[in-house]
Amino acid sequence: MTDPMHTPYGQGLPATPATTSEERTWAVLGHLAAIVAAVISAGWLSFVGPLVIWALYKDRSAFVRQAAAGSFNFNLAVWAAIVVGWVLFFTVILIPVAIIVWGVAIVAALVFHVRAAMAANRGELYRYPWGITVLR
């Protein structure tokens, strides 16, 4: 199998042949939990869902662990962009830039999480375009 760290982002990588339906379901939840948590918490806790799934499956399934870790790492980058947007917003003069940063972060989060969930449903690993690597 190709190393997911050296593959262009967005390219679905085949999962191991032993990937079960349950693993695919949990991997999909690892990606979509970020969107659900973001909606519930107005964006501030979007990393919690993937972190919980990673903690539960880190020793049980490499496929779920990698999916949840990718989602978590990507969410840290989105969260950082939201914080940068708030800093720009409080400078008052850069409010239009803050709105653009927020818009890009929110649209990117939605698009990439949905694409990742679709790849996980097919049993493929998904590499997010950027992230702050904390979990593996």
Side-chain angles (χ1 to χ4, degrees):
M1 180 162 55
T2 308
D3 179 15
M5 298 309 293
H6 293 72
T7 304
Y9 81 88
Q11 181 175 340
L13 302 171
T16 59
T19 302
T20 65
S21 175
E22 180 183 355
E23 287 176 314
R24 288 192 305 272
T25 299
W26 280 103
V28 167
L29 289 174
H31 295 296
L32 295 182
I35 295 172
V36 172
V39 169
I40 291 171
S41 69
W44 291 107
L45 298 176
S46 62
F47 60 89
V48 172
L51 180 62
V52 168
I53 292 172
W54 177 85
L56 292 173
Y57 277 86
K58 68 180 178 177
D59 297 326
R60 298 191 323 195
S61 169
F63 180 66
V64 177
R65 182 188 73 236
Q66 289 175 337
S71 181
F72 177 84
N73 294 335
F74 177 70
N75 271 297
L76 288 182
V78 170
W79 191 79
I82 298 291
V83 169
V84 166
W86 277 108
V87 169
L88 294 172
F89 184 82
F90 286 121
T91 62
V92 179
I93 196 167
L94 294 176
I95 289 175
V97 177
I99 292 170
I100 292 170
V101 168
W102 288 334
V104 168
I106 291 168
V107 169
L110 288 172
V111 168
F112 292 122
H113 281 304
V114 169
R115 289 181 72 190
M118 290 169 45
N121 191 45
R122 291 188 305 267
E124 300 171 350
L125 294 173
Y126 183 83
R127 185 165 181 268
Y128 285 92
W130 65 83
I132 300 171
T133 305
V134 175
L135 299 179
R136 290 197 184 260

